[in-house]
mmCIF file of all heavy atoms in Angstrom:
data_model
loop_
_atom_site.group_PDB
_atom_site.id
_atom_site.type_symbol
_atom_site.label_atom_id
_atom_site.label_comp_id
_atom_site.label_asym_id
_atom_site.label_seq_id
_atom_site.Cartn_x
_atom_site.Cartn_y
_atom_site.Cartn_z
ATOM 1 N N ILE Y 19 -138.812 110.052 209.900
ATOM 2 C CA ILE Y 19 -139.505 108.782 209.976
ATOM 3 C C ILE Y 19 -139.085 107.946 208.781
ATOM 4 O O ILE Y 19 -139.193 108.399 207.639
ATOM 5 C CB ILE Y 19 -141.030 109.010 209.967
ATOM 6 C CG1 ILE Y 19 -141.425 109.856 211.187
ATOM 7 C CG2 ILE Y 19 -141.768 107.685 209.970
ATOM 8 C CD1 ILE Y 19 -142.848 110.321 211.160
ATOM 9 N N PRO Y 20 -138.594 106.711 209.027
ATOM 10 C CA PRO Y 20 -138.214 105.861 207.896
ATOM 11 C C PRO Y 20 -139.397 105.647 206.958
ATOM 12 O O PRO Y 20 -140.551 105.608 207.396
ATOM 13 C CB PRO Y 20 -137.803 104.543 208.549
ATOM 14 C CG PRO Y 20 -137.474 104.898 209.949
ATOM 15 C CD PRO Y 20 -138.369 106.052 210.298
ATOM 16 N N GLN Y 21 -139.113 105.512 205.691
ATOM 17 C CA GLN Y 21 -140.163 105.283 204.712
ATOM 18 C C GLN Y 21 -140.819 103.935 204.964
ATOM 19 O O GLN Y 21 -140.127 102.944 205.177
ATOM 20 C CB GLN Y 21 -139.585 105.316 203.291
ATOM 21 C CG GLN Y 21 -139.087 106.685 202.887
ATOM 22 C CD GLN Y 21 -140.232 107.669 202.797
ATOM 23 O OE1 GLN Y 21 -141.234 107.417 202.159
ATOM 24 N NE2 GLN Y 21 -140.074 108.789 203.470
ATOM 25 N N PRO Y 22 -142.158 103.889 204.957
ATOM 26 C CA PRO Y 22 -142.831 102.605 205.172
ATOM 27 C C PRO Y 22 -142.662 101.681 203.968
ATOM 28 O O PRO Y 22 -142.501 102.132 202.836
ATOM 29 C CB PRO Y 22 -144.306 102.992 205.349
ATOM 30 C CG PRO Y 22 -144.430 104.302 204.649
ATOM 31 C CD PRO Y 22 -143.097 104.984 204.770
ATOM 32 N N LEU Y 23 -142.698 100.396 204.241
ATOM 33 C CA LEU Y 23 -142.628 99.411 203.167
ATOM 34 C C LEU Y 23 -143.985 99.339 202.472
ATOM 35 O O LEU Y 23 -145.023 99.555 203.082
ATOM 36 C CB LEU Y 23 -142.265 98.037 203.720
ATOM 37 C CG LEU Y 23 -140.927 97.954 204.447
ATOM 38 C CD1 LEU Y 23 -140.747 96.576 205.033
ATOM 39 C CD2 LEU Y 23 -139.806 98.285 203.500
ATOM 40 N N GLN Y 24 -143.951 99.040 201.192
ATOM 41 C CA GLN Y 24 -145.190 98.901 200.435
ATOM 42 C C GLN Y 24 -145.165 97.586 199.666
ATOM 43 O O GLN Y 24 -144.127 97.156 199.193
ATOM 44 C CB GLN Y 24 -145.341 100.042 199.431
ATOM 45 C CG GLN Y 24 -145.485 101.392 200.065
ATOM 46 C CD GLN Y 24 -145.609 102.473 199.011
ATOM 47 O OE1 GLN Y 24 -145.554 102.215 197.822
ATOM 48 N NE2 GLN Y 24 -145.763 103.695 199.460
ATOM 49 N N ARG Y 25 -146.314 96.979 199.534
ATOM 50 C CA ARG Y 25 -146.440 95.771 198.727
ATOM 51 C C ARG Y 25 -147.152 96.143 197.438
ATOM 52 O O ARG Y 25 -148.166 96.836 197.447
ATOM 53 C CB ARG Y 25 -147.231 94.706 199.463
ATOM 54 C CG ARG Y 25 -146.494 94.190 200.669
ATOM 55 C CD ARG Y 25 -147.316 93.119 201.359
ATOM 56 N NE ARG Y 25 -146.691 92.765 202.595
ATOM 57 C CZ ARG Y 25 -146.039 91.631 202.782
ATOM 58 N NH1 ARG Y 25 -145.925 90.761 201.813
ATOM 59 N NH2 ARG Y 25 -145.491 91.370 203.942
ATOM 60 N N LEU Y 26 -146.607 95.688 196.330
ATOM 61 C CA LEU Y 26 -147.194 95.948 195.027
ATOM 62 C C LEU Y 26 -147.656 94.634 194.416
ATOM 63 O O LEU Y 26 -147.082 93.578 194.661
ATOM 64 C CB LEU Y 26 -146.169 96.619 194.102
ATOM 65 C CG LEU Y 26 -145.593 97.950 194.585
ATOM 66 C CD1 LEU Y 26 -144.515 98.425 193.627
ATOM 67 C CD2 LEU Y 26 -146.692 98.993 194.708
ATOM 68 N N ARG Y 27 -148.674 94.711 193.589
ATOM 69 C CA ARG Y 27 -149.186 93.505 192.923
ATOM 70 C C ARG Y 27 -148.251 93.038 191.813
ATOM 71 O O ARG Y 27 -148.133 91.857 191.541
ATOM 72 C CB ARG Y 27 -150.571 93.772 192.350
ATOM 73 C CG ARG Y 27 -151.614 93.935 193.417
ATOM 74 C CD ARG Y 27 -152.971 94.242 192.783
ATOM 75 N NE ARG Y 27 -153.928 94.539 193.818
ATOM 76 C CZ ARG Y 27 -154.986 93.803 194.063
ATOM 77 N NH1 ARG Y 27 -155.233 92.729 193.344
ATOM 78 N NH2 ARG Y 27 -155.810 94.132 195.027
ATOM 79 N N GLU Y 28 -147.603 93.966 191.148
ATOM 80 C CA GLU Y 28 -146.711 93.652 190.030
ATOM 81 C C GLU Y 28 -145.268 94.002 190.410
ATOM 82 O O GLU Y 28 -145.041 94.939 191.165
ATOM 83 C CB GLU Y 28 -147.111 94.468 188.798
ATOM 84 C CG GLU Y 28 -148.507 94.169 188.279
ATOM 85 C CD GLU Y 28 -148.620 92.776 187.697
ATOM 86 O OE1 GLU Y 28 -147.659 92.314 187.074
ATOM 87 O OE2 GLU Y 28 -149.686 92.161 187.886
ATOM 88 N N PRO Y 29 -144.287 93.281 189.865
ATOM 89 C CA PRO Y 29 -142.881 93.657 190.111
ATOM 90 C C PRO Y 29 -142.607 95.062 189.587
ATOM 91 O O PRO Y 29 -143.136 95.482 188.567
ATOM 92 C CB PRO Y 29 -142.089 92.621 189.312
ATOM 93 C CG PRO Y 29 -143.025 91.487 189.097
ATOM 94 C CD PRO Y 29 -144.404 92.089 189.056
ATOM 95 N N PHE Y 30 -141.774 95.788 190.315
ATOM 96 C CA PHE Y 30 -141.422 97.154 189.954
ATOM 97 C C PHE Y 30 -140.018 97.157 189.362
ATOM 98 O O PHE Y 30 -139.110 96.536 189.901
ATOM 99 C CB PHE Y 30 -141.478 98.031 191.205
ATOM 100 C CG PHE Y 30 -140.975 99.424 191.003
ATOM 101 C CD1 PHE Y 30 -141.725 100.357 190.312
ATOM 102 C CD2 PHE Y 30 -139.747 99.800 191.503
ATOM 103 C CE1 PHE Y 30 -141.262 101.642 190.134
ATOM 104 C CE2 PHE Y 30 -139.270 101.082 191.330
ATOM 105 C CZ PHE Y 30 -140.041 102.006 190.647
ATOM 106 N N ASP Y 31 -139.852 97.842 188.248
ATOM 107 C CA ASP Y 31 -138.539 97.952 187.635
ATOM 108 C C ASP Y 31 -138.433 99.325 186.987
ATOM 109 O O ASP Y 31 -139.387 99.798 186.360
ATOM 110 C CB ASP Y 31 -138.330 96.854 186.590
ATOM 111 C CG ASP Y 31 -136.882 96.751 186.143
ATOM 112 O OD1 ASP Y 31 -135.997 97.268 186.844
ATOM 113 O OD2 ASP Y 31 -136.643 96.162 185.086
ATOM 114 N N ASP Y 32 -137.308 99.977 187.162
ATOM 115 C CA ASP Y 32 -137.098 101.308 186.607
ATOM 116 C C ASP Y 32 -135.593 101.537 186.521
ATOM 117 O O ASP Y 32 -134.879 101.293 187.501
ATOM 118 C CB ASP Y 32 -137.756 102.355 187.507
ATOM 119 C CG ASP Y 32 -137.745 103.736 186.877
ATOM 120 O OD1 ASP Y 32 -136.645 104.239 186.551
ATOM 121 O OD2 ASP Y 32 -138.826 104.318 186.724
ATOM 122 N N PRO Y 33 -135.074 102.006 185.383
ATOM 123 C CA PRO Y 33 -133.625 102.215 185.263
ATOM 124 C C PRO Y 33 -133.090 103.312 186.189
ATOM 125 O O PRO Y 33 -131.896 103.375 186.444
ATOM 126 C CB PRO Y 33 -133.431 102.585 183.786
ATOM 127 C CG PRO Y 33 -134.769 103.048 183.328
ATOM 128 C CD PRO Y 33 -135.782 102.322 184.151
ATOM 129 N N ASP Y 34 -133.970 104.163 186.713
ATOM 130 C CA ASP Y 34 -133.537 105.229 187.612
ATOM 131 C C ASP Y 34 -133.435 104.772 189.069
ATOM 132 O O ASP Y 34 -133.079 105.559 189.937
ATOM 133 C CB ASP Y 34 -134.496 106.415 187.536
ATOM 134 C CG ASP Y 34 -134.432 107.113 186.187
ATOM 135 O OD1 ASP Y 34 -133.378 107.040 185.524
ATOM 136 O OD2 ASP Y 34 -135.439 107.721 185.793
ATOM 137 N N TRP Y 35 -133.777 103.526 189.348
ATOM 138 C CA TRP Y 35 -133.767 103.006 190.709
ATOM 139 C C TRP Y 35 -132.721 101.899 190.846
ATOM 140 O O TRP Y 35 -132.470 101.158 189.913
ATOM 141 C CB TRP Y 35 -135.140 102.418 191.063
ATOM 142 C CG TRP Y 35 -136.181 103.464 191.317
ATOM 143 C CD1 TRP Y 35 -136.763 104.267 190.388
ATOM 144 C CD2 TRP Y 35 -136.744 103.822 192.562
ATOM 145 N NE1 TRP Y 35 -137.675 105.096 190.977
ATOM 146 C CE2 TRP Y 35 -137.687 104.839 192.318
ATOM 147 C CE3 TRP Y 35 -136.570 103.364 193.860
ATOM 148 C CZ2 TRP Y 35 -138.428 105.420 193.328
ATOM 149 C CZ3 TRP Y 35 -137.322 103.942 194.859
ATOM 150 C CH2 TRP Y 35 -138.232 104.958 194.592
ATOM 151 N N LEU Y 36 -132.128 101.802 192.043
ATOM 152 C CA LEU Y 36 -131.227 100.707 192.376
ATOM 153 C C LEU Y 36 -131.978 99.744 193.286
ATOM 154 O O LEU Y 36 -132.755 100.173 194.144
ATOM 155 C CB LEU Y 36 -129.992 101.223 193.116
ATOM 156 C CG LEU Y 36 -129.091 102.166 192.334
ATOM 157 C CD1 LEU Y 36 -127.985 102.682 193.229
ATOM 158 C CD2 LEU Y 36 -128.501 101.448 191.136
ATOM 159 N N PHE Y 37 -131.755 98.464 193.123
ATOM 160 C CA PHE Y 37 -132.433 97.458 193.928
ATOM 161 C C PHE Y 37 -131.400 96.586 194.622
ATOM 162 O O PHE Y 37 -130.284 96.421 194.140
ATOM 163 C CB PHE Y 37 -133.344 96.588 193.045
ATOM 164 C CG PHE Y 37 -134.451 97.377 192.405
ATOM 165 C CD1 PHE Y 37 -134.284 97.939 191.146
ATOM 166 C CD2 PHE Y 37 -135.644 97.562 193.072
ATOM 167 C CE1 PHE Y 37 -135.304 98.674 190.566
ATOM 168 C CE2 PHE Y 37 -136.673 98.292 192.493
ATOM 169 C CZ PHE Y 37 -136.503 98.850 191.242
ATOM 170 N N GLU Y 38 -131.795 96.043 195.762
ATOM 171 C CA GLU Y 38 -130.909 95.157 196.507
ATOM 172 C C GLU Y 38 -131.732 94.037 197.130
ATOM 173 O O GLU Y 38 -132.951 94.144 197.266
ATOM 174 C CB GLU Y 38 -130.174 95.922 197.600
ATOM 175 C CG GLU Y 38 -131.103 96.532 198.617
ATOM 176 C CD GLU Y 38 -130.375 97.426 199.606
ATOM 177 O OE1 GLU Y 38 -129.269 97.879 199.326
ATOM 178 O OE2 GLU Y 38 -130.949 97.654 200.681
ATOM 179 N N LEU Y 39 -131.062 92.962 197.524
ATOM 180 C CA LEU Y 39 -131.727 91.873 198.223
ATOM 181 C C LEU Y 39 -132.192 92.356 199.586
ATOM 182 O O LEU Y 39 -131.541 93.188 200.216
ATOM 183 C CB LEU Y 39 -130.778 90.695 198.403
ATOM 184 C CG LEU Y 39 -130.357 89.964 197.139
ATOM 185 C CD1 LEU Y 39 -129.340 88.882 197.489
ATOM 186 C CD2 LEU Y 39 -131.556 89.342 196.453
ATOM 187 N N LYS Y 40 -133.289 91.819 200.061
ATOM 188 C CA LYS Y 40 -133.815 92.181 201.374
ATOM 189 C C LYS Y 40 -133.374 91.148 202.396
ATOM 190 O O LYS Y 40 -133.651 89.973 202.267
ATOM 191 C CB LYS Y 40 -135.350 92.253 201.305
ATOM 192 C CG LYS Y 40 -136.051 92.318 202.641
ATOM 193 C CD LYS Y 40 -135.768 93.630 203.337
ATOM 194 C CE LYS Y 40 -136.637 93.789 204.567
ATOM 195 N NZ LYS Y 40 -136.003 93.396 205.795
ATOM 196 N N TYR Y 41 -132.611 91.587 203.394
ATOM 197 C CA TYR Y 41 -132.204 90.741 204.501
ATOM 198 C C TYR Y 41 -132.981 91.169 205.744
ATOM 199 O O TYR Y 41 -133.268 92.342 205.928
ATOM 200 C CB TYR Y 41 -130.703 90.881 204.783
ATOM 201 C CG TYR Y 41 -129.832 90.383 203.661
ATOM 202 C CD1 TYR Y 41 -129.262 91.267 202.749
ATOM 203 C CD2 TYR Y 41 -129.572 89.030 203.521
ATOM 204 C CE1 TYR Y 41 -128.460 90.800 201.725
ATOM 205 C CE2 TYR Y 41 -128.762 88.560 202.495
ATOM 206 C CZ TYR Y 41 -128.221 89.462 201.601
ATOM 207 O OH TYR Y 41 -127.430 89.005 200.585
ATOM 208 N N ASP Y 42 -133.310 90.225 206.602
ATOM 209 C CA ASP Y 42 -133.997 90.571 207.847
ATOM 210 C C ASP Y 42 -133.011 91.145 208.844
ATOM 211 O O ASP Y 42 -131.899 90.644 209.000
ATOM 212 C CB ASP Y 42 -134.672 89.341 208.445
ATOM 213 C CG ASP Y 42 -135.941 88.959 207.704
ATOM 214 O OD1 ASP Y 42 -136.533 89.866 207.078
ATOM 215 O OD2 ASP Y 42 -136.333 87.796 207.741
ATOM 216 N N GLY Y 43 -133.429 92.185 209.501
ATOM 217 C CA GLY Y 43 -132.583 92.829 210.494
ATOM 218 C C GLY Y 43 -133.390 93.849 211.263
ATOM 219 O O GLY Y 43 -134.577 93.657 211.504
ATOM 220 N N PHE Y 44 -132.751 94.938 211.628
ATOM 221 C CA PHE Y 44 -133.377 96.010 212.380
ATOM 222 C C PHE Y 44 -133.363 97.284 211.547
ATOM 223 O O PHE Y 44 -132.293 97.747 211.144
ATOM 224 C CB PHE Y 44 -132.634 96.257 213.698
ATOM 225 C CG PHE Y 44 -132.607 95.059 214.595
ATOM 226 C CD1 PHE Y 44 -131.517 94.220 214.610
ATOM 227 C CD2 PHE Y 44 -133.686 94.781 215.422
ATOM 228 C CE1 PHE Y 44 -131.484 93.115 215.431
ATOM 229 C CE2 PHE Y 44 -133.671 93.672 216.249
ATOM 230 C CZ PHE Y 44 -132.567 92.838 216.255
ATOM 231 N N ARG Y 45 -134.525 97.861 211.295
ATOM 232 C CA ARG Y 45 -134.622 99.113 210.555
ATOM 233 C C ARG Y 45 -134.075 100.231 211.423
ATOM 234 O O ARG Y 45 -134.395 100.325 212.611
ATOM 235 C CB ARG Y 45 -136.090 99.371 210.213
ATOM 236 C CG ARG Y 45 -136.333 100.575 209.320
ATOM 237 C CD ARG Y 45 -135.879 100.255 207.902
ATOM 238 N NE ARG Y 45 -136.093 101.368 207.008
ATOM 239 C CZ ARG Y 45 -137.215 101.574 206.329
ATOM 240 N NH1 ARG Y 45 -138.230 100.754 206.466
ATOM 241 N NH2 ARG Y 45 -137.317 102.594 205.515
ATOM 242 N N ALA Y 46 -133.233 101.089 210.879
ATOM 243 C CA ALA Y 46 -132.611 102.149 211.674
ATOM 244 C C ALA Y 46 -132.308 103.371 210.831
ATOM 245 O O ALA Y 46 -132.105 103.284 209.627
ATOM 246 C CB ALA Y 46 -131.314 101.638 212.307
ATOM 247 N N LEU Y 47 -132.281 104.505 211.501
ATOM 248 C CA LEU Y 47 -131.744 105.739 210.941
ATOM 249 C C LEU Y 47 -130.392 105.956 211.616
ATOM 250 O O LEU Y 47 -130.276 105.837 212.838
ATOM 251 C CB LEU Y 47 -132.654 106.930 211.232
ATOM 252 C CG LEU Y 47 -134.001 106.923 210.538
ATOM 253 C CD1 LEU Y 47 -134.886 108.032 211.086
ATOM 254 C CD2 LEU Y 47 -133.836 107.091 209.042
ATOM 255 N N ALA Y 48 -129.371 106.237 210.818
ATOM 256 C CA ALA Y 48 -128.040 106.521 211.356
ATOM 257 C C ALA Y 48 -127.781 108.007 211.177
ATOM 258 O O ALA Y 48 -127.713 108.502 210.055
ATOM 259 C CB ALA Y 48 -126.974 105.709 210.634
ATOM 260 N N TYR Y 49 -127.695 108.726 212.285
ATOM 261 C CA TYR Y 49 -127.369 110.153 212.265
ATOM 262 C C TYR Y 49 -125.864 110.268 212.463
ATOM 263 O O TYR Y 49 -125.351 109.952 213.536
ATOM 264 C CB TYR Y 49 -128.081 110.889 213.399
ATOM 265 C CG TYR Y 49 -129.576 110.957 213.258
ATOM 266 C CD1 TYR Y 49 -130.397 109.985 213.804
ATOM 267 C CD2 TYR Y 49 -130.177 112.010 212.586
ATOM 268 C CE1 TYR Y 49 -131.778 110.056 213.692
ATOM 269 C CE2 TYR Y 49 -131.553 112.091 212.458
ATOM 270 C CZ TYR Y 49 -132.338 111.122 213.025
ATOM 271 O OH TYR Y 49 -133.705 111.193 212.909
ATOM 272 N N ILE Y 50 -125.164 110.724 211.433
ATOM 273 C CA ILE Y 50 -123.711 110.862 211.507
ATOM 274 C C ILE Y 50 -123.369 112.339 211.416
ATOM 275 O O ILE Y 50 -123.813 113.038 210.498
ATOM 276 C CB ILE Y 50 -123.017 110.093 210.367
ATOM 277 C CG1 ILE Y 50 -123.347 108.608 210.463
ATOM 278 C CG2 ILE Y 50 -121.504 110.319 210.412
ATOM 279 C CD1 ILE Y 50 -122.875 107.802 209.276
ATOM 280 N N GLU Y 51 -122.593 112.798 212.394
ATOM 281 C CA GLU Y 51 -122.135 114.180 212.396
ATOM 282 C C GLU Y 51 -120.709 114.198 212.921
ATOM 283 O O GLU Y 51 -120.454 113.763 214.050
ATOM 284 C CB GLU Y 51 -123.040 115.048 213.266
ATOM 285 C CG GLU Y 51 -122.692 116.502 213.181
ATOM 286 C CD GLU Y 51 -123.699 117.384 213.887
ATOM 287 O OE1 GLU Y 51 -124.800 116.911 214.208
ATOM 288 O OE2 GLU Y 51 -123.369 118.548 214.111
ATOM 289 N N ASP Y 52 -119.783 114.681 212.078
ATOM 290 C CA ASP Y 52 -118.360 114.660 212.386
ATOM 291 C C ASP Y 52 -117.945 113.223 212.714
ATOM 292 O O ASP Y 52 -118.051 112.364 211.897
ATOM 293 C CB ASP Y 52 -118.021 115.655 213.495
ATOM 294 C CG ASP Y 52 -118.333 117.092 213.064
ATOM 295 O OD1 ASP Y 52 -118.119 117.409 211.886
ATOM 296 O OD2 ASP Y 52 -118.812 117.867 213.903
ATOM 297 N N ASP Y 53 -117.504 112.961 213.914
ATOM 298 C CA ASP Y 53 -117.046 111.616 214.256
ATOM 299 C C ASP Y 53 -118.021 110.867 215.152
ATOM 300 O O ASP Y 53 -117.655 109.882 215.776
ATOM 301 C CB ASP Y 53 -115.675 111.694 214.942
ATOM 302 C CG ASP Y 53 -114.608 112.195 213.995
ATOM 303 O OD1 ASP Y 53 -114.700 111.885 212.789
ATOM 304 O OD2 ASP Y 53 -113.694 112.896 214.446
ATOM 305 N N CYS Y 54 -119.261 111.329 215.230
ATOM 306 C CA CYS Y 54 -120.263 110.700 216.093
ATOM 307 C C CYS Y 54 -121.388 110.094 215.250
ATOM 308 O O CYS Y 54 -121.729 110.613 214.196
ATOM 309 C CB CYS Y 54 -120.861 111.716 217.049
ATOM 310 S SG CYS Y 54 -119.669 112.385 218.212
ATOM 311 N N CYS Y 55 -121.958 109.009 215.756
ATOM 312 C CA CYS Y 55 -123.069 108.352 215.073
ATOM 313 C C CYS Y 55 -124.070 107.857 216.105
ATOM 314 O O CYS Y 55 -123.684 107.256 217.112
ATOM 315 C CB CYS Y 55 -122.560 107.172 214.248
ATOM 316 S SG CYS Y 55 -123.883 106.213 213.476
ATOM 317 N N ARG Y 56 -125.340 108.139 215.857
ATOM 318 C CA ARG Y 56 -126.420 107.593 216.683
ATOM 319 C C ARG Y 56 -127.292 106.743 215.782
ATOM 320 O O ARG Y 56 -127.675 107.163 214.697
ATOM 321 C CB ARG Y 56 -127.269 108.711 217.282
ATOM 322 C CG ARG Y 56 -126.575 109.438 218.404
ATOM 323 C CD ARG Y 56 -127.469 110.471 219.047
ATOM 324 N NE ARG Y 56 -128.639 109.827 219.667
ATOM 325 C CZ ARG Y 56 -129.837 110.398 219.734
ATOM 326 N NH1 ARG Y 56 -130.049 111.582 219.231
ATOM 327 N NH2 ARG Y 56 -130.840 109.766 220.312
ATOM 328 N N LEU Y 57 -127.625 105.546 216.242
ATOM 329 C CA LEU Y 57 -128.509 104.638 215.520
ATOM 330 C C LEU Y 57 -129.853 104.658 216.225
ATOM 331 O O LEU Y 57 -129.947 104.324 217.409
ATOM 332 C CB LEU Y 57 -127.923 103.233 215.499
ATOM 333 C CG LEU Y 57 -126.557 103.110 214.815
ATOM 334 C CD1 LEU Y 57 -125.976 101.727 215.055
ATOM 335 C CD2 LEU Y 57 -126.687 103.392 213.336
ATOM 336 N N ILE Y 58 -130.906 105.040 215.492
ATOM 337 C CA ILE Y 58 -132.235 105.215 216.057
ATOM 338 C C ILE Y 58 -133.209 104.279 215.362
ATOM 339 O O ILE Y 58 -133.225 104.188 214.129
ATOM 340 C CB ILE Y 58 -132.706 106.680 215.893
ATOM 341 C CG1 ILE Y 58 -131.669 107.662 216.452
ATOM 342 C CG2 ILE Y 58 -134.068 106.894 216.535
ATOM 343 C CD1 ILE Y 58 -131.420 107.531 217.943
ATOM 344 N N SER Y 59 -134.055 103.597 216.144
ATOM 345 C CA SER Y 59 -135.045 102.679 215.576
ATOM 346 C C SER Y 59 -136.185 103.449 214.935
ATOM 347 O O SER Y 59 -136.328 104.660 215.137
ATOM 348 C CB SER Y 59 -135.609 101.764 216.673
ATOM 349 O OG SER Y 59 -136.523 102.482 217.482
ATOM 350 N N ARG Y 60 -137.031 102.750 214.193
ATOM 351 C CA ARG Y 60 -138.165 103.417 213.551
ATOM 352 C C ARG Y 60 -139.168 103.924 214.569
ATOM 353 O O ARG Y 60 -140.000 104.765 214.262
ATOM 354 C CB ARG Y 60 -138.833 102.485 212.549
ATOM 355 C CG ARG Y 60 -139.426 101.270 213.158
ATOM 356 C CD ARG Y 60 -140.040 100.407 212.110
ATOM 357 N NE ARG Y 60 -140.394 99.123 212.689
ATOM 358 C CZ ARG Y 60 -140.879 98.128 212.019
ATOM 359 N NH1 ARG Y 60 -141.046 98.243 210.728
ATOM 360 N NH2 ARG Y 60 -141.181 97.011 212.613
ATOM 361 N N ASN Y 61 -139.058 103.447 215.817
ATOM 362 C CA ASN Y 61 -139.923 103.936 216.898
ATOM 363 C C ASN Y 61 -139.259 105.038 217.714
ATOM 364 O O ASN Y 61 -139.804 105.474 218.716
ATOM 365 C CB ASN Y 61 -140.313 102.773 217.823
ATOM 366 C CG ASN Y 61 -141.135 101.741 217.092
ATOM 367 O OD1 ASN Y 61 -141.988 102.087 216.280
ATOM 368 N ND2 ASN Y 61 -140.888 100.477 217.359
ATOM 369 N N GLY Y 62 -138.062 105.467 217.299
ATOM 370 C CA GLY Y 62 -137.379 106.568 217.975
ATOM 371 C C GLY Y 62 -136.490 106.156 219.130
ATOM 372 O O GLY Y 62 -136.015 107.013 219.874
ATOM 373 N N ASN Y 63 -136.239 104.860 219.296
ATOM 374 C CA ASN Y 63 -135.370 104.381 220.371
ATOM 375 C C ASN Y 63 -133.925 104.265 219.895
ATOM 376 O O ASN Y 63 -133.675 103.940 218.743
ATOM 377 C CB ASN Y 63 -135.847 103.006 220.864
ATOM 378 C CG ASN Y 63 -137.261 103.064 221.397
ATOM 379 O OD1 ASN Y 63 -137.609 103.955 222.155
ATOM 380 N ND2 ASN Y 63 -138.085 102.121 220.983
ATOM 381 N N SER Y 64 -132.985 104.513 220.800
ATOM 382 C CA SER Y 64 -131.567 104.364 220.464
ATOM 383 C C SER Y 64 -131.180 102.896 220.476
ATOM 384 O O SER Y 64 -131.615 102.138 221.335
ATOM 385 C CB SER Y 64 -130.693 105.108 221.481
ATOM 386 O OG SER Y 64 -130.859 106.489 221.342
ATOM 387 N N PHE Y 65 -130.358 102.499 219.500
ATOM 388 C CA PHE Y 65 -129.807 101.150 219.457
ATOM 389 C C PHE Y 65 -128.468 101.172 220.194
ATOM 390 O O PHE Y 65 -127.447 101.564 219.641
ATOM 391 C CB PHE Y 65 -129.573 100.688 218.013
ATOM 392 C CG PHE Y 65 -130.796 100.175 217.322
ATOM 393 C CD1 PHE Y 65 -131.285 100.823 216.202
ATOM 394 C CD2 PHE Y 65 -131.442 99.038 217.766
ATOM 395 C CE1 PHE Y 65 -132.404 100.345 215.539
ATOM 396 C CE2 PHE Y 65 -132.568 98.551 217.116
ATOM 397 C CZ PHE Y 65 -133.046 99.201 215.991
ATOM 398 N N GLY Y 66 -128.456 100.746 221.441
ATOM 399 C CA GLY Y 66 -127.222 100.694 222.213
ATOM 400 C C GLY Y 66 -126.425 99.427 221.970
ATOM 401 O O GLY Y 66 -125.252 99.349 222.320
#
């Protein structure tokens, strides 16, 4: 299950963490094994 998003009252900063800009899109898990990949939504549906 993808990690849920959390809202914090204060900005979070830690040298042990990497941060990136948030773009809107589709949350997915990518299962890669050998030369195959399945993209699965957070609700368990395949992204065809």
Side-chain angles (χ1 to χ4, degrees):
I19 299 171
Q21 293 294 309
L23 300 176
Q24 295 179 358
R25 293 181 188 254
L26 301 175
R27 290 178 186 244
E28 298 292 324
F30 173 74
D31 192 18
D32 188 302
D34 292 334
W35 286 72
L36 296 175
F37 297 92
E38 61 187 20
L39 293 176
K40 167 68 171 96
Y41 295 100
D42 284 335
F44 300 97
R45 186 73 180 271
L47 292 171
Y49 292 91
I50 299 172
E51 186 172 345
D52 298 323
D53 294 326
C54 296
C55 175
R56 286 184 63 213
L57 299 171
I58 307 297
S59 75
R60 63 181 170 184
N61 296 320
N63 300 314
S64 291
F65 279 117

